[in-house]
mmCIF file of all heavy atoms in Angstrom:
data_model
loop_
_atom_site.group_PDB
_atom_site.id
_atom_site.type_symbol
_atom_site.label_atom_id
_atom_site.label_comp_id
_atom_site.label_asym_id
_atom_site.label_seq_id
_atom_site.Cartn_x
_atom_site.Cartn_y
_atom_site.Cartn_z
ATOM 1 N N VAL A 1 0.821 -1.206 0.003
ATOM 2 C CA VAL A 1 -0.020 -0.029 -0.005
ATOM 3 C C VAL A 1 0.853 1.266 0.005
ATOM 4 O O VAL A 1 0.630 2.219 -0.750
ATOM 5 C CB VAL A 1 -0.957 -0.014 1.205
ATOM 6 C CG1 VAL A 1 -1.622 1.375 1.380
ATOM 7 C CG2 VAL A 1 -2.002 -1.098 1.066
ATOM 8 N N LEU A 2 1.913 1.247 0.809
ATOM 9 C CA LEU A 2 2.826 2.371 0.851
ATOM 10 C C LEU A 2 3.479 2.643 -0.519
ATOM 11 O O LEU A 2 3.630 3.761 -0.965
ATOM 12 C CB LEU A 2 3.926 2.163 1.887
ATOM 13 C CG LEU A 2 3.479 2.230 3.359
ATOM 14 C CD1 LEU A 2 4.643 1.805 4.246
ATOM 15 C CD2 LEU A 2 2.988 3.611 3.724
ATOM 16 N N ALA A 3 3.818 1.542 -1.204
ATOM 17 C CA ALA A 3 4.442 1.671 -2.529
ATOM 18 C C ALA A 3 3.490 2.292 -3.530
ATOM 19 O O ALA A 3 3.837 3.178 -4.341
ATOM 20 C CB ALA A 3 4.933 0.295 -3.015
ATOM 21 N N VAL A 4 2.244 1.825 -3.539
ATOM 22 C CA VAL A 4 1.255 2.373 -4.472
ATOM 23 C C VAL A 4 0.927 3.806 -4.163
ATOM 24 O O VAL A 4 0.786 4.649 -5.075
ATOM 25 C CB VAL A 4 -0.035 1.490 -4.428
ATOM 26 C CG1 VAL A 4 -1.143 2.124 -5.284
ATOM 27 C CG2 VAL A 4 0.282 0.066 -4.929
ATOM 28 N N GLU A 5 0.821 4.167 -2.882
ATOM 29 C CA GLU A 5 0.568 5.560 -2.518
ATOM 30 C C GLU A 5 1.748 6.442 -2.939
ATOM 31 O O GLU A 5 1.553 7.587 -3.350
ATOM 32 C CB GLU A 5 0.304 5.655 -1.003
ATOM 33 C CG GLU A 5 -0.985 5.042 -0.589
ATOM 34 C CD GLU A 5 -1.197 5.056 0.914
ATOM 35 O OE1 GLU A 5 -0.223 5.284 1.637
ATOM 36 O OE2 GLU A 5 -2.355 4.820 1.358
ATOM 37 N N ALA A 6 2.965 5.888 -2.862
ATOM 38 C CA ALA A 6 4.113 6.665 -3.288
ATOM 39 C C ALA A 6 4.129 6.897 -4.810
ATOM 40 O O ALA A 6 4.489 7.960 -5.312
ATOM 41 C CB ALA A 6 5.399 5.961 -2.871
ATOM 42 N N LEU A 7 3.632 5.871 -5.565
ATOM 43 C CA LEU A 7 3.518 6.045 -7.008
ATOM 44 C C LEU A 7 2.565 7.174 -7.341
ATOM 45 O O LEU A 7 2.812 7.991 -8.239
ATOM 46 C CB LEU A 7 2.997 4.726 -7.637
ATOM 47 C CG LEU A 7 4.057 3.632 -7.809
ATOM 48 C CD1 LEU A 7 3.359 2.379 -8.285
ATOM 49 C CD2 LEU A 7 5.147 4.054 -8.781
ATOM 50 N N ALA A 8 1.440 7.244 -6.604
ATOM 51 C CA ALA A 8 0.491 8.325 -6.824
ATOM 52 C C ALA A 8 1.116 9.674 -6.501
ATOM 53 O O ALA A 8 0.925 10.641 -7.203
ATOM 54 C CB ALA A 8 -0.759 8.100 -5.973
ATOM 55 N N GLY A 9 1.904 9.702 -5.402
ATOM 56 C CA GLY A 9 2.557 10.966 -5.017
ATOM 57 C C GLY A 9 3.652 11.366 -5.969
ATOM 58 O O GLY A 9 4.012 12.560 -6.065
ATOM 59 N N LEU A 10 4.196 10.408 -6.707
ATOM 60 C CA LEU A 10 5.219 10.734 -7.682
ATOM 61 C C LEU A 10 4.597 11.259 -8.979
ATOM 62 O O LEU A 10 5.048 12.263 -9.510
ATOM 63 C CB LEU A 10 6.083 9.463 -7.966
ATOM 64 C CG LEU A 10 7.109 9.593 -9.110
ATOM 65 C CD1 LEU A 10 8.201 10.581 -8.725
ATOM 66 C CD2 LEU A 10 7.707 8.246 -9.431
ATOM 67 N N HIS A 11 3.565 10.558 -9.443
ATOM 68 C CA HIS A 11 3.007 10.901 -10.794
ATOM 69 C C HIS A 11 1.915 11.981 -10.714
ATOM 70 O O HIS A 11 1.764 12.785 -11.634
ATOM 71 C CB HIS A 11 2.467 9.659 -11.439
ATOM 72 C CG HIS A 11 3.498 8.659 -11.818
ATOM 73 N ND1 HIS A 11 4.399 8.890 -12.835
ATOM 74 C CD2 HIS A 11 3.845 7.465 -11.285
ATOM 75 C CE1 HIS A 11 5.203 7.850 -12.956
ATOM 76 N NE2 HIS A 11 4.915 6.986 -11.984
ATOM 77 N N GLY A 12 1.173 12.036 -9.608
ATOM 78 C CA GLY A 12 0.049 12.973 -9.514
ATOM 79 C C GLY A 12 0.453 14.428 -9.704
ATOM 80 O O GLY A 12 -0.082 15.120 -10.584
ATOM 81 N N PRO A 13 1.418 14.907 -8.933
ATOM 82 C CA PRO A 13 1.779 16.344 -9.029
ATOM 83 C C PRO A 13 2.428 16.706 -10.363
ATOM 84 O O PRO A 13 2.485 17.889 -10.691
ATOM 85 C CB PRO A 13 2.775 16.556 -7.901
ATOM 86 C CG PRO A 13 2.492 15.421 -6.918
ATOM 87 C CD PRO A 13 2.097 14.283 -7.775
ATOM 88 N N SER A 14 2.910 15.684 -11.088
ATOM 89 C CA SER A 14 3.656 15.991 -12.319
ATOM 90 C C SER A 14 2.875 15.679 -13.558
ATOM 91 O O SER A 14 3.348 15.926 -14.689
ATOM 92 C CB SER A 14 4.950 15.159 -12.359
ATOM 93 O OG SER A 14 4.677 13.774 -12.359
ATOM 94 N N TRP A 15 1.640 15.214 -13.403
ATOM 95 C CA TRP A 15 0.867 14.699 -14.565
ATOM 96 C C TRP A 15 0.619 15.793 -15.596
ATOM 97 O O TRP A 15 0.072 16.832 -15.293
ATOM 98 C CB TRP A 15 -0.459 14.093 -14.070
ATOM 99 C CG TRP A 15 -1.152 13.239 -15.081
ATOM 100 C CD1 TRP A 15 -2.212 13.582 -15.838
ATOM 101 C CD2 TRP A 15 -0.791 11.905 -15.445
ATOM 102 N NE1 TRP A 15 -2.591 12.537 -16.654
ATOM 103 C CE2 TRP A 15 -1.720 11.492 -16.440
ATOM 104 C CE3 TRP A 15 0.199 11.051 -15.027
ATOM 105 C CZ2 TRP A 15 -1.642 10.222 -16.998
ATOM 106 C CZ3 TRP A 15 0.247 9.791 -15.603
ATOM 107 C CH2 TRP A 15 -0.641 9.364 -16.582
ATOM 108 N N CYS A 16 1.023 15.510 -16.798
ATOM 109 C CA CYS A 16 0.769 16.416 -17.982
ATOM 110 C C CYS A 16 1.444 17.800 -17.855
ATOM 111 O O CYS A 16 1.035 18.722 -18.543
ATOM 112 C CB CYS A 16 -0.714 16.566 -18.258
ATOM 113 S SG CYS A 16 -1.511 15.038 -18.799
ATOM 114 N N ASP A 17 2.394 17.930 -16.948
ATOM 115 C CA ASP A 17 3.084 19.198 -16.812
ATOM 116 C C ASP A 17 4.139 19.314 -17.902
ATOM 117 O O ASP A 17 5.064 18.498 -17.939
ATOM 118 C CB ASP A 17 3.723 19.317 -15.426
ATOM 119 C CG ASP A 17 4.268 20.701 -15.129
ATOM 120 O OD1 ASP A 17 4.528 21.486 -16.072
ATOM 121 O OD2 ASP A 17 4.370 21.054 -13.952
ATOM 122 N N PRO A 18 4.041 20.287 -18.784
ATOM 123 C CA PRO A 18 4.981 20.366 -19.915
ATOM 124 C C PRO A 18 6.410 20.667 -19.465
ATOM 125 O O PRO A 18 7.336 20.503 -20.285
ATOM 126 C CB PRO A 18 4.430 21.512 -20.778
ATOM 127 C CG PRO A 18 3.623 22.340 -19.813
ATOM 128 C CD PRO A 18 3.015 21.351 -18.874
ATOM 129 N N VAL A 19 6.617 21.049 -18.215
ATOM 130 C CA VAL A 19 7.994 21.396 -17.759
ATOM 131 C C VAL A 19 8.904 20.211 -17.875
ATOM 132 O O VAL A 19 10.089 20.308 -18.092
ATOM 133 C CB VAL A 19 7.966 21.906 -16.297
ATOM 134 C CG1 VAL A 19 7.593 20.810 -15.327
ATOM 135 C CG2 VAL A 19 9.312 22.525 -15.938
ATOM 136 N N TRP A 20 8.338 18.991 -17.789
ATOM 137 C CA TRP A 20 9.176 17.776 -17.816
ATOM 138 C C TRP A 20 9.748 17.520 -19.185
ATOM 139 O O TRP A 20 10.751 16.817 -19.335
ATOM 140 C CB TRP A 20 8.373 16.551 -17.352
ATOM 141 C CG TRP A 20 7.679 16.790 -16.021
ATOM 142 C CD1 TRP A 20 6.361 16.726 -15.772
ATOM 143 C CD2 TRP A 20 8.270 17.188 -14.792
ATOM 144 N NE1 TRP A 20 6.101 17.022 -14.456
ATOM 145 C CE2 TRP A 20 7.269 17.290 -13.840
ATOM 146 C CE3 TRP A 20 9.612 17.411 -14.398
ATOM 147 C CZ2 TRP A 20 7.497 17.665 -12.535
ATOM 148 C CZ3 TRP A 20 9.847 17.779 -13.086
ATOM 149 C CH2 TRP A 20 8.789 17.913 -12.182
ATOM 150 N N LEU A 21 9.122 18.103 -20.240
ATOM 151 C CA LEU A 21 9.656 17.934 -21.556
ATOM 152 C C LEU A 21 10.977 18.688 -21.751
ATOM 153 O O LEU A 21 11.738 18.442 -22.698
ATOM 154 C CB LEU A 21 8.645 18.438 -22.591
ATOM 155 C CG LEU A 21 7.324 17.657 -22.660
ATOM 156 C CD1 LEU A 21 6.358 18.359 -23.640
ATOM 157 C CD2 LEU A 21 7.563 16.220 -23.036
ATOM 158 N N ASP A 22 11.281 19.600 -20.830
ATOM 159 C CA ASP A 22 12.482 20.392 -20.956
ATOM 160 C C ASP A 22 13.622 19.911 -20.096
ATOM 161 O O ASP A 22 14.703 20.508 -20.082
ATOM 162 C CB ASP A 22 12.184 21.857 -20.582
ATOM 163 C CG ASP A 22 11.181 22.499 -21.541
ATOM 164 O OD1 ASP A 22 11.245 22.132 -22.741
ATOM 165 O OD2 ASP A 22 10.388 23.334 -21.109
ATOM 166 N N LEU A 23 13.425 18.800 -19.354
ATOM 167 C CA LEU A 23 14.520 18.259 -18.549
ATOM 168 C C LEU A 23 15.626 17.769 -19.493
ATOM 169 O O LEU A 23 15.366 16.932 -20.351
ATOM 170 C CB LEU A 23 14.029 17.129 -17.654
ATOM 171 C CG LEU A 23 13.114 17.515 -16.495
ATOM 172 C CD1 LEU A 23 12.698 16.277 -15.734
ATOM 173 C CD2 LEU A 23 13.787 18.478 -15.562
ATOM 174 N N PRO A 24 16.830 18.271 -19.350
ATOM 175 C CA PRO A 24 17.876 17.953 -20.336
ATOM 176 C C PRO A 24 18.436 16.514 -20.231
ATOM 177 O O PRO A 24 18.925 15.991 -21.233
ATOM 178 C CB PRO A 24 18.971 18.974 -20.063
ATOM 179 C CG PRO A 24 18.791 19.339 -18.622
ATOM 180 C CD PRO A 24 17.301 19.271 -18.388
ATOM 181 N N THR A 25 18.344 15.907 -19.081
ATOM 182 C CA THR A 25 19.054 14.629 -18.899
ATOM 183 C C THR A 25 18.093 13.466 -18.647
ATOM 184 O O THR A 25 18.506 12.404 -18.171
ATOM 185 C CB THR A 25 20.067 14.693 -17.784
ATOM 186 O OG1 THR A 25 19.388 15.005 -16.536
ATOM 187 C CG2 THR A 25 21.104 15.744 -18.022
ATOM 188 N N ILE A 26 16.825 13.627 -18.960
ATOM 189 C CA ILE A 26 15.893 12.510 -18.767
ATOM 190 C C ILE A 26 16.275 11.361 -19.717
ATOM 191 O O ILE A 26 16.620 11.574 -20.852
ATOM 192 C CB ILE A 26 14.434 12.957 -19.026
ATOM 193 C CG1 ILE A 26 13.448 11.877 -18.594
ATOM 194 C CG2 ILE A 26 14.223 13.363 -20.484
ATOM 195 C CD1 ILE A 26 12.013 12.380 -18.567
ATOM 196 N N VAL A 27 16.311 10.140 -19.193
ATOM 197 C CA VAL A 27 16.763 8.994 -19.962
ATOM 198 C C VAL A 27 15.712 8.501 -20.929
ATOM 199 O O VAL A 27 16.001 8.213 -22.109
ATOM 200 C CB VAL A 27 17.205 7.856 -19.035
ATOM 201 C CG1 VAL A 27 17.535 6.616 -19.803
ATOM 202 C CG2 VAL A 27 18.423 8.302 -18.219
ATOM 203 N N MET A 28 14.469 8.324 -20.453
ATOM 204 C CA MET A 28 13.426 7.790 -21.316
ATOM 205 C C MET A 28 13.173 8.772 -22.448
ATOM 206 O O MET A 28 13.105 10.001 -22.288
ATOM 207 C CB MET A 28 12.126 7.587 -20.536
ATOM 208 C CG MET A 28 12.210 6.450 -19.548
ATOM 209 S SD MET A 28 12.436 4.852 -20.332
ATOM 210 C CE MET A 28 10.876 4.649 -21.104
ATOM 211 N N PRO A 29 12.991 8.278 -23.674
ATOM 212 C CA PRO A 29 12.746 9.170 -24.826
ATOM 213 C C PRO A 29 11.433 9.904 -24.642
ATOM 214 O O PRO A 29 10.434 9.320 -24.199
ATOM 215 C CB PRO A 29 12.722 8.223 -26.019
ATOM 216 C CG PRO A 29 12.358 6.873 -25.432
ATOM 217 C CD PRO A 29 13.016 6.865 -24.080
ATOM 218 N N LYS A 30 11.432 11.188 -25.026
ATOM 219 C CA LYS A 30 10.224 11.977 -24.985
ATOM 220 C C LYS A 30 9.570 11.950 -26.353
ATOM 221 O O LYS A 30 10.257 12.085 -27.371
ATOM 222 C CB LYS A 30 10.579 13.432 -24.565
ATOM 223 C CG LYS A 30 11.030 13.549 -23.136
ATOM 224 C CD LYS A 30 11.599 14.906 -22.813
ATOM 225 C CE LYS A 30 13.042 15.000 -23.266
ATOM 226 N NZ LYS A 30 13.754 16.167 -22.764
ATOM 227 N N PRO A 31 8.255 11.758 -26.414
ATOM 228 C CA PRO A 31 7.551 11.638 -27.723
ATOM 229 C C PRO A 31 7.717 12.972 -28.483
ATOM 230 O O PRO A 31 7.303 14.020 -28.021
ATOM 231 C CB PRO A 31 6.118 11.369 -27.360
ATOM 232 C CG PRO A 31 5.944 11.831 -25.904
ATOM 233 C CD PRO A 31 7.306 11.612 -25.304
ATOM 234 N N GLY A 32 8.309 12.869 -29.659
ATOM 235 C CA GLY A 32 8.549 14.074 -30.448
ATOM 236 C C GLY A 32 7.441 14.296 -31.460
ATOM 237 O O GLY A 32 7.380 15.401 -32.069
ATOM 238 N N ASP A 33 6.573 13.329 -31.678
ATOM 239 C CA ASP A 33 5.452 13.540 -32.621
ATOM 240 C C ASP A 33 4.272 12.677 -32.187
ATOM 241 O O ASP A 33 4.331 11.943 -31.194
ATOM 242 C CB ASP A 33 5.905 13.160 -34.042
ATOM 243 C CG ASP A 33 6.514 11.765 -34.116
ATOM 244 O OD1 ASP A 33 6.013 10.850 -33.402
ATOM 245 O OD2 ASP A 33 7.487 11.582 -34.854
ATOM 246 N N GLU A 34 3.186 12.777 -32.954
ATOM 247 C CA GLU A 34 1.942 12.098 -32.554
ATOM 248 C C GLU A 34 2.124 10.594 -32.559
ATOM 249 O O GLU A 34 1.586 9.864 -31.700
ATOM 250 C CB GLU A 34 0.834 12.476 -33.526
ATOM 251 C CG GLU A 34 -0.519 11.933 -33.146
ATOM 252 C CD GLU A 34 -1.648 12.436 -34.056
ATOM 253 O OE1 GLU A 34 -1.404 13.451 -34.746
ATOM 254 O OE2 GLU A 34 -2.712 11.832 -34.055
ATOM 255 N N ALA A 35 2.880 10.033 -33.506
ATOM 256 C CA ALA A 35 3.081 8.600 -33.593
ATOM 257 C C ALA A 35 3.822 8.081 -32.382
ATOM 258 O O ALA A 35 3.472 7.024 -31.802
ATOM 259 C CB ALA A 35 3.835 8.234 -34.840
ATOM 260 N N ALA A 36 4.855 8.809 -31.959
ATOM 261 C CA ALA A 36 5.621 8.385 -30.785
ATOM 262 C C ALA A 36 4.783 8.476 -29.513
ATOM 263 O O ALA A 36 4.824 7.587 -28.660
ATOM 264 C CB ALA A 36 6.881 9.288 -30.624
ATOM 265 N N ALA A 37 3.971 9.498 -29.428
ATOM 266 C CA ALA A 37 3.091 9.624 -28.245
ATOM 267 C C ALA A 37 2.076 8.493 -28.194
ATOM 268 O O ALA A 37 1.771 7.955 -27.155
ATOM 269 C CB ALA A 37 2.375 11.005 -28.288
ATOM 270 N N LYS A 38 1.523 8.116 -29.373
ATOM 271 C CA LYS A 38 0.586 7.032 -29.421
ATOM 272 C C LYS A 38 1.276 5.727 -29.031
ATOM 273 O O LYS A 38 0.663 4.873 -28.346
ATOM 274 C CB LYS A 38 0.018 6.891 -30.837
ATOM 275 C CG LYS A 38 -1.006 5.751 -30.973
ATOM 276 C CD LYS A 38 -1.574 5.648 -32.365
ATOM 277 C CE LYS A 38 -2.633 4.545 -32.445
ATOM 278 N NZ LYS A 38 -2.137 3.253 -31.989
ATOM 279 N N GLY A 39 2.547 5.553 -29.414
ATOM 280 C CA GLY A 39 3.258 4.337 -29.029
ATOM 281 C C GLY A 39 3.362 4.203 -27.518
ATOM 282 O O GLY A 39 3.145 3.110 -26.974
#
């Protein structure tokens, strides 16, 4: 339960915030177009 609540606390405040697209060193690829976002 603690783990799941922590997941919500991690993703909830950041959900759909465009600021994360500007993080320079994020490892996971950021969708650059509609096809990538759909994937």
Side-chain angles (χ1 to χ4, degrees):
V1 170
L2 289 173
V4 173
E5 289 175 347
L7 282 173
L10 175 65
H11 292 289
S14 62
W15 195 256
C16 292
D17 190 335
V19 69
W20 309 121
L21 296 175
D22 297 326
L23 290 179
T25 60
I26 190 169
V27 172
M28 291 295 291
K30 290 170 280 191
D33 52 38
E34 185 175 343
K38 182 181 183 302

